[in-house]
Amino acid sequence: MNNRNSIIFILFIAISFMSCGKETNNLSENDKVIEEKIDSLLSIMTLEEKIGQTVIYTSDSDVTGPVLDKNYQNYLRNGGIGAIFNATGAAFTRKLQKIAVEETRLGIPLLFGYDVIHGHKTIFPIPMGEASSWDLDLIQKTARTSAIEASAEGLHWTFAPMVDIARDARWGRIAEGAGEDTYLCSLISAARVRGFQGENLNDTNTILACAKHFAAYGAAQSGRDYHTVDISKNTLWNVYLPPFKKLVEENVATFMTSFNELNGVPATGNKYLLTDVLRDDWKFNGFVVTDYTSINEMVHHGFAEDLKHAGELALNAGIDMDMQGGVFLNETKKSIDEKKVDETTLNNAVRNVLRQKFKLGLFENPYKYSDEKKEKELILHEKHLELAREAARKSIVLLKNNDNVLPLQKEAKVALIGPLADDEFHIIGNWAGRGDRNGTAVSVKEGFDAQNINYSFSKGCEIEGGDNSKFNEALQIAKNAEVVVMVLGESERMSGEAASRSNIKIPGLQQELIKEIKKAGKPIVLVLMNGRPLDLSWEDKNVDAIVETWFSGTSGGHGITDVLFGNYNPSGKLTVTFPRNIGQVPIFYNMKNTGRPAHIEGANDRYVSKYIDVDNSPLYPFGYGLSYTTFNYGETQISNSTLSKENSIKITTSITNTGNYDGEEIVQLYVKDVVGSITRPVKELIDFKKVFIKKGETKQIEFEITQDKLKFYNNDLEYVNEAGGYQLVVAPNSNTDFTNKFTLTIK
């Protein structure tokens, strides 16, 4: 009898004796069975085997951080590892799973995790780019496709979505989230969880999702990655925690802690976050994994005396799995022997990990995901590549279009210039999983070729560096063209983890290249590739059109070409604010007001909250994005002026496509709580609709406001409505004045 059959037999016998009398009244029948199996398995595990289930190490096939210990296969054979990350491919995962199942005493299967952030082999736009589509169905589909490909390569678990609210353009990981707005981020993150986890985790094409980073990582001081966080409880509960709570409601399987401290306590040792809030208040029943070596880093924080102490703090706070640090593996037995950690605490952690393995069906068939036939059939499937093309074009935001220089005519003679124009490497962006940077990805130049565009090409310069030797070549092809398309921006390594920038202008000589090309006197279309909001104040004044494509993924070149030549009318809108310069950062639309706002009637215009060298307003506001057509917003009507528990308010307006192209418009509803028991934002998005309107057509748009949409956490951390006055507006972006008023009553 092999190990797998042995453990099934042991579980059957144990369950028959232990299932009687266990309190499982609130669980489904299937969940009751799983809990009984977990308890039975725990009863026969040694202390060392239990500890092993709380350990995750990286394989040596991919590296995403410092490798402290390369002996993962030896630990695996001794039952010392419960999960492995950075191991991909059906054959390789089967090989490692075979060791776990057939060479260890109990044969408990491994979990395989990987950073499937915005695609696996088929890469979609970076999350911040995809969020710009405001298309929840699309976002769920791309996550579903990512899960299909990842699971076909033997993976069970992704470290996504990142739900950190990010308001500082200097922070590199702004690229990995959905932007600055809590409401929108919550909806987008929930769509991604539904896509990753599917309808049933026991299906063979689902993977566990991971809500990260818990919590407030996006508020790192100075926008510097891994830096400390110091925010009020009001900001924590009203801005940073709601997306995580939303994902608990979506049954997200796992959480990941953040690197930062909160209220002086590192998140990985923060009992308030991990136990009081996540477990006791929100009733989360998945498992919590640390971020890479973050238990070890509590020593550097000055919070733990040594690694053993750090491990105790983490386990007692509510951590279930130690990523890569080796602290649980090496120190936990001693901590339990010394009564610094109770074994029941360890048992709870193991229970949380085993629960997900049972839900995935790995005990019934540990090799179900490692299917080489499925791997060949599904990876980079034609349908996946077409979806990537759709996602790329829907994520593009048109920032400027003077004199309707776009869309371009296919017959036009185009000068294609820039270091990113013929690029397959950077176009798929950072955290691009198993994406092929040289071969599968489609560059803009290849997109032009596929549509038979009449163009000449020059690189002009590199992304970075001081070599201007190809400036003249670029200028000459610009002189011989009717229009210039310049593809400029960041390298993929300039955003993402460990990629904070203190200068958020386009790097290197690229701005100098634009100055040179302007000498040709031809219209210039600037196509941007980047992972953060950039300082584009100079570019906004000096080019004719600006197309924000982010890093658009495997089919990015096709999607960009579709937009440039009018095969698709751009519909994306910003989920992050673009500043006028770095001095405005952090800048976001839903700020709080001050006692001396910049524009206040009767005030001395000097002694107000403003800069003396730049306007307070952003270059491009949250929610902003142009179209090749124009939309006229009619007068907004509200059904009644009082909102109570017994009624809702219906808001209606008409949108007319007054231009020459069919197009999609993202219609946004903002409100303002005029007076509260705590100060409230100047404006908050509470709803939106993305609608397709044919040219010349008028559509009626309707929103509904209930009291639930207006709740917030007060100073006692009660989730409440407060009676009082509100203002509202239906608008194309956040840079707009309120048009209507209503009153909320509390009975």
PDB file of all heavy atoms in Angstrom, residues 441-474:
ATOM      1  N   ALA A 441       5.149  37.761 -27.737  1.00  0.00           N
ATOM      2  CA  ALA A 441       4.622  39.118 -27.560  1.00  0.00           C
ATOM      3  C   ALA A 441       4.696  39.897 -28.869  1.00  0.00           C
ATOM      4  O   ALA A 441       5.644  39.743 -29.652  1.00  0.00           O
ATOM      5  CB  ALA A 441       5.391  39.844 -26.464  1.00  0.00           C
ATOM      6  N   VAL A 442       3.698  40.738 -29.101  1.00  0.00           N
ATOM      7  CA  VAL A 442       3.598  41.498 -30.352  1.00  0.00           C
ATOM      8  C   VAL A 442       3.962  42.953 -30.091  1.00  0.00           C
ATOM      9  O   VAL A 442       3.339  43.629 -29.266  1.00  0.00           O
ATOM     10  CB  VAL A 442       2.163  41.419 -30.916  1.00  0.00           C
ATOM     11  CG1 VAL A 442       2.044  42.240 -32.202  1.00  0.00           C
ATOM     12  CG2 VAL A 442       1.768  39.971 -31.161  1.00  0.00           C
ATOM     13  N   SER A 443       4.975  43.443 -30.783  1.00  0.00           N
ATOM     14  CA  SER A 443       5.381  44.844 -30.661  1.00  0.00           C
ATOM     15  C   SER A 443       4.452  45.738 -31.476  1.00  0.00           C
ATOM     16  O   SER A 443       3.665  45.263 -32.304  1.00  0.00           O
ATOM     17  CB  SER A 443       6.815  45.016 -31.154  1.00  0.00           C
ATOM     18  OG  SER A 443       6.872  44.851 -32.568  1.00  0.00           O
ATOM     19  N   VAL A 444       4.557  47.046 -31.263  1.00  0.00           N
ATOM     20  CA  VAL A 444       3.782  47.988 -32.070  1.00  0.00           C
ATOM     21  C   VAL A 444       4.175  47.868 -33.538  1.00  0.00           C
ATOM     22  O   VAL A 444       3.317  47.882 -34.434  1.00  0.00           O
ATOM     23  CB  VAL A 444       3.991  49.428 -31.566  1.00  0.00           C
ATOM     24  CG1 VAL A 444       3.263  50.427 -32.467  1.00  0.00           C
ATOM     25  CG2 VAL A 444       3.503  49.573 -30.119  1.00  0.00           C
ATOM     26  N   LYS A 445       5.455  47.739 -33.794  1.00  0.00           N
ATOM     27  CA  LYS A 445       5.936  47.589 -35.174  1.00  0.00           C
ATOM     28  C   LYS A 445       5.315  46.354 -35.834  1.00  0.00           C
ATOM     29  O   LYS A 445       4.882  46.398 -36.994  1.00  0.00           O
ATOM     30  CB  LYS A 445       7.461  47.489 -35.182  1.00  0.00           C
ATOM     31  CG  LYS A 445       8.112  47.424 -36.557  1.00  0.00           C
ATOM     32  CD  LYS A 445       9.631  47.517 -36.416  1.00  0.00           C
ATOM     33  CE  LYS A 445      10.336  47.453 -37.764  1.00  0.00           C
ATOM     34  NZ  LYS A 445      10.252  46.097 -38.371  1.00  0.00           N
ATOM     35  N   GLU A 446       5.238  45.260 -35.089  1.00  0.00           N
ATOM     36  CA  GLU A 446       4.619  44.049 -35.636  1.00  0.00           C
ATOM     37  C   GLU A 446       3.114  44.251 -35.823  1.00  0.00           C
ATOM     38  O   GLU A 446       2.526  43.695 -36.759  1.00  0.00           O
ATOM     39  CB  GLU A 446       4.891  42.866 -34.706  1.00  0.00           C
ATOM     40  CG  GLU A 446       6.349  42.413 -34.737  1.00  0.00           C
ATOM     41  CD  GLU A 446       6.683  41.430 -33.623  1.00  0.00           C
ATOM     42  OE1 GLU A 446       6.162  41.587 -32.498  1.00  0.00           O
ATOM     43  OE2 GLU A 446       7.487  40.510 -33.884  1.00  0.00           O
ATOM     44  N   GLY A 447       2.504  45.035 -34.940  1.00  0.00           N
ATOM     45  CA  GLY A 447       1.100  45.372 -35.122  1.00  0.00           C
ATOM     46  C   GLY A 447       0.884  46.162 -36.395  1.00  0.00           C
ATOM     47  O   GLY A 447      -0.095  45.941 -37.128  1.00  0.00           O
ATOM     48  N   PHE A 448       1.785  47.102 -36.684  1.00  0.00           N
ATOM     49  CA  PHE A 448       1.720  47.864 -37.937  1.00  0.00           C
ATOM     50  C   PHE A 448       1.862  46.924 -39.140  1.00  0.00           C
ATOM     51  O   PHE A 448       1.126  47.042 -40.123  1.00  0.00           O
ATOM     52  CB  PHE A 448       2.835  48.911 -37.973  1.00  0.00           C
ATOM     53  CG  PHE A 448       2.503  50.207 -37.288  1.00  0.00           C
ATOM     54  CD1 PHE A 448       1.659  50.250 -36.183  1.00  0.00           C
ATOM     55  CD2 PHE A 448       3.042  51.404 -37.743  1.00  0.00           C
ATOM     56  CE1 PHE A 448       1.357  51.440 -35.552  1.00  0.00           C
ATOM     57  CE2 PHE A 448       2.745  52.614 -37.121  1.00  0.00           C
ATOM     58  CZ  PHE A 448       1.902  52.636 -36.020  1.00  0.00           C
ATOM     59  N   ASP A 449       2.811  46.011 -39.059  1.00  0.00           N
ATOM     60  CA  ASP A 449       3.030  45.074 -40.168  1.00  0.00           C
ATOM     61  C   ASP A 449       1.781  44.237 -40.432  1.00  0.00           C
ATOM     62  O   ASP A 449       1.403  44.010 -41.587  1.00  0.00           O
ATOM     63  CB  ASP A 449       4.207  44.147 -39.858  1.00  0.00           C
ATOM     64  CG  ASP A 449       5.547  44.860 -39.919  1.00  0.00           C
ATOM     65  OD1 ASP A 449       5.651  45.881 -40.626  1.00  0.00           O
ATOM     66  OD2 ASP A 449       6.496  44.394 -39.249  1.00  0.00           O
ATOM     67  N   ALA A 450       1.145  43.779 -39.358  1.00  0.00           N
ATOM     68  CA  ALA A 450      -0.029  42.912 -39.502  1.00  0.00           C
ATOM     69  C   ALA A 450      -1.186  43.634 -40.178  1.00  0.00           C
ATOM     70  O   ALA A 450      -2.040  42.985 -40.794  1.00  0.00           O
ATOM     71  CB  ALA A 450      -0.458  42.395 -38.130  1.00  0.00           C
ATOM     72  N   GLN A 451      -1.232  44.968 -40.079  1.00  0.00           N
ATOM     73  CA  GLN A 451      -2.318  45.729 -40.692  1.00  0.00           C
ATOM     74  C   GLN A 451      -1.853  46.509 -41.924  1.00  0.00           C
ATOM     75  O   GLN A 451      -2.544  47.415 -42.392  1.00  0.00           O
ATOM     76  CB  GLN A 451      -2.944  46.665 -39.650  1.00  0.00           C
ATOM     77  CG  GLN A 451      -3.594  45.891 -38.493  1.00  0.00           C
ATOM     78  CD  GLN A 451      -4.512  46.738 -37.642  1.00  0.00           C
ATOM     79  OE1 GLN A 451      -5.137  47.680 -38.128  1.00  0.00           O
ATOM     80  NE2 GLN A 451      -4.605  46.404 -36.356  1.00  0.00           N
ATOM     81  N   ASN A 452      -0.672  46.155 -42.422  1.00  0.00           N
ATOM     82  CA  ASN A 452      -0.149  46.731 -43.680  1.00  0.00           C
ATOM     83  C   ASN A 452      -0.086  48.251 -43.649  1.00  0.00           C
ATOM     84  O   ASN A 452      -0.469  48.939 -44.609  1.00  0.00           O
ATOM     85  CB  ASN A 452      -1.002  46.269 -44.872  1.00  0.00           C
ATOM     86  CG  ASN A 452      -0.960  44.764 -45.050  1.00  0.00           C
ATOM     87  OD1 ASN A 452       0.110  44.159 -45.017  1.00  0.00           O
ATOM     88  ND2 ASN A 452      -2.118  44.163 -45.228  1.00  0.00           N
ATOM     89  N   ILE A 453       0.413  48.783 -42.540  1.00  0.00           N
ATOM     90  CA  ILE A 453       0.563  50.224 -42.405  1.00  0.00           C
ATOM     91  C   ILE A 453       1.787  50.683 -43.197  1.00  0.00           C
ATOM     92  O   ILE A 453       2.827  50.023 -43.205  1.00  0.00           O
ATOM     93  CB  ILE A 453       0.703  50.614 -40.916  1.00  0.00           C
ATOM     94  CG1 ILE A 453      -0.480  50.062 -40.102  1.00  0.00           C
ATOM     95  CG2 ILE A 453       0.827  52.123 -40.763  1.00  0.00           C
ATOM     96  CD1 ILE A 453      -1.837  50.490 -40.562  1.00  0.00           C
ATOM     97  N   ASN A 454       1.667  51.828 -43.833  1.00  0.00           N
ATOM     98  CA  ASN A 454       2.784  52.411 -44.591  1.00  0.00           C
ATOM     99  C   ASN A 454       3.648  53.228 -43.627  1.00  0.00           C
ATOM    100  O   ASN A 454       3.291  54.340 -43.249  1.00  0.00           O
ATOM    101  CB  ASN A 454       2.223  53.305 -45.707  1.00  0.00           C
ATOM    102  CG  ASN A 454       3.327  53.956 -46.529  1.00  0.00           C
ATOM    103  OD1 ASN A 454       4.486  53.548 -46.482  1.00  0.00           O
ATOM    104  ND2 ASN A 454       2.971  54.994 -47.269  1.00  0.00           N
ATOM    105  N   TYR A 455       4.796  52.679 -43.239  1.00  0.00           N
ATOM    106  CA  TYR A 455       5.603  53.357 -42.225  1.00  0.00           C
ATOM    107  C   TYR A 455       7.091  53.162 -42.477  1.00  0.00           C
ATOM    108  O   TYR A 455       7.523  52.231 -43.168  1.00  0.00           O
ATOM    109  CB  TYR A 455       5.252  52.836 -40.824  1.00  0.00           C
ATOM    110  CG  TYR A 455       5.786  51.445 -40.520  1.00  0.00           C
ATOM    111  CD1 TYR A 455       7.000  51.284 -39.847  1.00  0.00           C
ATOM    112  CD2 TYR A 455       5.089  50.304 -40.913  1.00  0.00           C
ATOM    113  CE1 TYR A 455       7.493  50.018 -39.574  1.00  0.00           C
ATOM    114  CE2 TYR A 455       5.575  49.051 -40.636  1.00  0.00           C
ATOM    115  CZ  TYR A 455       6.785  48.903 -39.968  1.00  0.00           C
ATOM    116  OH  TYR A 455       7.283  47.657 -39.710  1.00  0.00           O
ATOM    117  N   SER A 456       7.877  54.059 -41.886  1.00  0.00           N
ATOM    118  CA  SER A 456       9.323  53.915 -41.784  1.00  0.00           C
ATOM    119  C   SER A 456       9.658  53.932 -40.302  1.00  0.00           C
ATOM    120  O   SER A 456       8.995  54.589 -39.504  1.00  0.00           O
ATOM    121  CB  SER A 456      10.045  55.057 -42.504  1.00  0.00           C
ATOM    122  OG  SER A 456       9.719  55.067 -43.869  1.00  0.00           O
ATOM    123  N   PHE A 457      10.732  53.237 -39.924  1.00  0.00           N
ATOM    124  CA  PHE A 457      11.033  53.055 -38.504  1.00  0.00           C
ATOM    125  C   PHE A 457      12.444  53.505 -38.148  1.00  0.00           C
ATOM    126  O   PHE A 457      13.394  53.272 -38.893  1.00  0.00           O
ATOM    127  CB  PHE A 457      10.870  51.578 -38.113  1.00  0.00           C
ATOM    128  CG  PHE A 457      11.459  51.244 -36.761  1.00  0.00           C
ATOM    129  CD1 PHE A 457      10.848  51.681 -35.593  1.00  0.00           C
ATOM    130  CD2 PHE A 457      12.639  50.520 -36.663  1.00  0.00           C
ATOM    131  CE1 PHE A 457      11.397  51.393 -34.356  1.00  0.00           C
ATOM    132  CE2 PHE A 457      13.193  50.221 -35.426  1.00  0.00           C
ATOM    133  CZ  PHE A 457      12.571  50.664 -34.271  1.00  0.00           C
ATOM    134  N   SER A 458      12.552  54.142 -36.971  1.00  0.00           N
ATOM    135  CA  SER A 458      13.860  54.421 -36.362  1.00  0.00           C
ATOM    136  C   SER A 458      13.704  54.350 -34.853  1.00  0.00           C
ATOM    137  O   SER A 458      12.743  54.890 -34.293  1.00  0.00           O
ATOM    138  CB  SER A 458      14.371  55.811 -36.753  1.00  0.00           C
ATOM    139  OG  SER A 458      15.556  56.108 -36.031  1.00  0.00           O
ATOM    140  N   LYS A 459      14.649  53.708 -34.205  1.00  0.00           N
ATOM    141  CA  LYS A 459      14.605  53.598 -32.745  1.00  0.00           C
ATOM    142  C   LYS A 459      14.816  54.950 -32.078  1.00  0.00           C
ATOM    143  O   LYS A 459      14.237  55.261 -31.042  1.00  0.00           O
ATOM    144  CB  LYS A 459      15.662  52.594 -32.282  1.00  0.00           C
ATOM    145  CG  LYS A 459      15.534  52.159 -30.843  1.00  0.00           C
ATOM    146  CD  LYS A 459      16.510  51.009 -30.554  1.00  0.00           C
ATOM    147  CE  LYS A 459      16.276  50.431 -29.176  1.00  0.00           C
ATOM    148  NZ  LYS A 459      17.179  49.293 -28.890  1.00  0.00           N
ATOM    149  N   GLY A 460      15.674  55.764 -32.642  1.00  0.00           N
ATOM    150  CA  GLY A 460      15.898  57.115 -32.126  1.00  0.00           C
ATOM    151  C   GLY A 460      16.855  57.178 -30.956  1.00  0.00           C
ATOM    152  O   GLY A 460      17.828  57.925 -30.970  1.00  0.00           O
ATOM    153  N   CYS A 461      16.582  56.400 -29.899  1.00  0.00           N
ATOM    154  CA  CYS A 461      17.444  56.343 -28.721  1.00  0.00           C
ATOM    155  C   CYS A 461      17.032  55.143 -27.888  1.00  0.00           C
ATOM    156  O   CYS A 461      16.072  54.443 -28.208  1.00  0.00           O
ATOM    157  CB  CYS A 461      17.360  57.634 -27.904  1.00  0.00           C
ATOM    158  SG  CYS A 461      15.740  57.907 -27.133  1.00  0.00           S
ATOM    159  N   GLU A 462      17.758  54.907 -26.801  1.00  0.00           N
ATOM    160  CA  GLU A 462      17.394  53.861 -25.859  1.00  0.00           C
ATOM    161  C   GLU A 462      16.446  54.436 -24.799  1.00  0.00           C
ATOM    162  O   GLU A 462      16.257  55.649 -24.694  1.00  0.00           O
ATOM    163  CB  GLU A 462      18.644  53.289 -25.186  1.00  0.00           C
ATOM    164  CG  GLU A 462      19.656  52.696 -26.147  1.00  0.00           C
ATOM    165  CD  GLU A 462      19.127  51.479 -26.897  1.00  0.00           C
ATOM    166  OE1 GLU A 462      18.213  50.800 -26.379  1.00  0.00           O
ATOM    167  OE2 GLU A 462      19.626  51.214 -28.008  1.00  0.00           O
ATOM    168  N   ILE A 463      15.861  53.555 -24.003  1.00  0.00           N
ATOM    169  CA  ILE A 463      14.982  54.002 -22.921  1.00  0.00           C
ATOM    170  C   ILE A 463      15.770  54.859 -21.941  1.00  0.00           C
ATOM    171  O   ILE A 463      15.299  55.903 -21.480  1.00  0.00           O
ATOM    172  CB  ILE A 463      14.343  52.800 -22.199  1.00  0.00           C
ATOM    173  CG1 ILE A 463      13.469  52.008 -23.163  1.00  0.00           C
ATOM    174  CG2 ILE A 463      13.522  53.274 -20.993  1.00  0.00           C
ATOM    175  CD1 ILE A 463      12.957  50.691 -22.601  1.00  0.00           C
ATOM    176  N   GLU A 464      16.969  54.417 -21.606  1.00  0.00           N
ATOM    177  CA  GLU A 464      17.852  55.156 -20.716  1.00  0.00           C
ATOM    178  C   GLU A 464      19.182  55.384 -21.434  1.00  0.00           C
ATOM    179  O   GLU A 464      19.437  54.836 -22.499  1.00  0.00           O
ATOM    180  CB  GLU A 464      18.080  54.385 -19.416  1.00  0.00           C
ATOM    181  CG  GLU A 464      16.825  54.169 -18.593  1.00  0.00           C
ATOM    182  CD  GLU A 464      17.105  53.405 -17.320  1.00  0.00           C
ATOM    183  OE1 GLU A 464      17.051  52.157 -17.369  1.00  0.00           O
ATOM    184  OE2 GLU A 464      17.379  54.043 -16.278  1.00  0.00           O
ATOM    185  N   GLY A 465      20.044  56.165 -20.812  1.00  0.00           N
ATOM    186  CA  GLY A 465      21.356  56.411 -21.397  1.00  0.00           C
ATOM    187  C   GLY A 465      21.415  57.707 -22.173  1.00  0.00           C
ATOM    188  O   GLY A 465      20.408  58.384 -22.387  1.00  0.00           O
ATOM    189  N   GLY A 466      22.614  58.039 -22.644  1.00  0.00           N
ATOM    190  CA  GLY A 466      22.842  59.338 -23.269  1.00  0.00           C
ATOM    191  C   GLY A 466      23.250  59.292 -24.724  1.00  0.00           C
ATOM    192  O   GLY A 466      23.816  60.267 -25.242  1.00  0.00           O
ATOM    193  N   ASP A 467      22.977  58.186 -25.413  1.00  0.00           N
ATOM    194  CA  ASP A 467      23.384  58.042 -26.814  1.00  0.00           C
ATOM    195  C   ASP A 467      22.336  58.675 -27.735  1.00  0.00           C
ATOM    196  O   ASP A 467      21.221  58.187 -27.870  1.00  0.00           O
ATOM    197  CB  ASP A 467      23.550  56.564 -27.142  1.00  0.00           C
ATOM    198  CG  ASP A 467      24.047  56.336 -28.562  1.00  0.00           C
ATOM    199  OD1 ASP A 467      24.316  57.333 -29.280  1.00  0.00           O
ATOM    200  OD2 ASP A 467      24.162  55.162 -28.964  1.00  0.00           O
ATOM    201  N   ASN A 468      22.720  59.796 -28.389  1.00  0.00           N
ATOM    202  CA  ASN A 468      21.800  60.466 -29.320  1.00  0.00           C
ATOM    203  C   ASN A 468      22.222  60.296 -30.771  1.00  0.00           C
ATOM    204  O   ASN A 468      21.810  61.066 -31.639  1.00  0.00           O
ATOM    205  CB  ASN A 468      21.680  61.944 -28.980  1.00  0.00           C
ATOM    206  CG  ASN A 468      22.993  62.684 -29.163  1.00  0.00           C
ATOM    207  OD1 ASN A 468      24.014  62.092 -29.543  1.00  0.00           O
ATOM    208  ND2 ASN A 468      22.979  63.991 -28.889  1.00  0.00           N
ATOM    209  N   SER A 469      23.020  59.285 -31.044  1.00  0.00           N
ATOM    210  CA  SER A 469      23.589  59.127 -32.385  1.00  0.00           C
ATOM    211  C   SER A 469      22.541  58.816 -33.454  1.00  0.00           C
ATOM    212  O   SER A 469      22.804  58.994 -34.646  1.00  0.00           O
ATOM    213  CB  SER A 469      24.644  58.013 -32.372  1.00  0.00           C
ATOM    214  OG  SER A 469      24.076  56.771 -31.984  1.00  0.00           O
ATOM    215  N   LYS A 470      21.353  58.365 -33.062  1.00  0.00           N
ATOM    216  CA  LYS A 470      20.322  58.043 -34.046  1.00  0.00           C
ATOM    217  C   LYS A 470      19.240  59.118 -34.133  1.00  0.00           C
ATOM    218  O   LYS A 470      18.216  58.925 -34.786  1.00  0.00           O
ATOM    219  CB  LYS A 470      19.695  56.683 -33.714  1.00  0.00           C
ATOM    220  CG  LYS A 470      20.688  55.533 -33.877  1.00  0.00           C
ATOM    221  CD  LYS A 470      20.018  54.184 -33.773  1.00  0.00           C
ATOM    222  CE  LYS A 470      21.056  53.095 -34.049  1.00  0.00           C
ATOM    223  NZ  LYS A 470      20.516  51.743 -33.937  1.00  0.00           N
ATOM    224  N   PHE A 471      19.490  60.246 -33.488  1.00  0.00           N
ATOM    225  CA  PHE A 471      18.528  61.345 -33.568  1.00  0.00           C
ATOM    226  C   PHE A 471      18.316  61.799 -35.010  1.00  0.00           C
ATOM    227  O   PHE A 471      17.186  62.030 -35.444  1.00  0.00           O
ATOM    228  CB  PHE A 471      19.003  62.529 -32.720  1.00  0.00           C
ATOM    229  CG  PHE A 471      18.593  62.476 -31.273  1.00  0.00           C
ATOM    230  CD1 PHE A 471      18.334  61.266 -30.643  1.00  0.00           C
ATOM    231  CD2 PHE A 471      18.469  63.641 -30.537  1.00  0.00           C
ATOM    232  CE1 PHE A 471      17.965  61.220 -29.308  1.00  0.00           C
ATOM    233  CE2 PHE A 471      18.094  63.619 -29.206  1.00  0.00           C
ATOM    234  CZ  PHE A 471      17.835  62.405 -28.584  1.00  0.00           C
ATOM    235  N   ASN A 472      19.393  61.957 -35.742  1.00  0.00           N
ATOM    236  CA  ASN A 472      19.295  62.494 -37.104  1.00  0.00           C
ATOM    237  C   ASN A 472      18.532  61.544 -38.019  1.00  0.00           C
ATOM    238  O   ASN A 472      17.705  61.979 -38.831  1.00  0.00           O
ATOM    239  CB  ASN A 472      20.674  62.767 -37.681  1.00  0.00           C
ATOM    240  CG  ASN A 472      20.594  63.488 -39.012  1.00  0.00           C
ATOM    241  OD1 ASN A 472      20.039  64.583 -39.115  1.00  0.00           O
ATOM    242  ND2 ASN A 472      21.124  62.855 -40.060  1.00  0.00           N
ATOM    243  N   GLU A 473      18.800  60.249 -37.861  1.00  0.00           N
ATOM    244  CA  GLU A 473      18.067  59.258 -38.656  1.00  0.00           C
ATOM    245  C   GLU A 473      16.566  59.369 -38.385  1.00  0.00           C
ATOM    246  O   GLU A 473      15.745  59.355 -39.313  1.00  0.00           O
ATOM    247  CB  GLU A 473      18.561  57.856 -38.295  1.00  0.00           C
ATOM    248  CG  GLU A 473      17.760  56.724 -38.925  1.00  0.00           C
ATOM    249  CD  GLU A 473      18.126  55.369 -38.350  1.00  0.00           C
ATOM    250  OE1 GLU A 473      19.046  54.735 -38.893  1.00  0.00           O
ATOM    251  OE2 GLU A 473      17.499  54.958 -37.345  1.00  0.00           O
ATOM    252  N   ALA A 474      16.210  59.488 -37.114  1.00  0.00           N
ATOM    253  CA  ALA A 474      14.806  59.609 -36.740  1.00  0.00           C
ATOM    254  C   ALA A 474      14.199  60.885 -37.317  1.00  0.00           C
ATOM    255  O   ALA A 474      13.056  60.891 -37.800  1.00  0.00           O
ATOM    256  CB  ALA A 474      14.663  59.581 -35.223  1.00  0.00           C
TER     257      ALA A 474
END
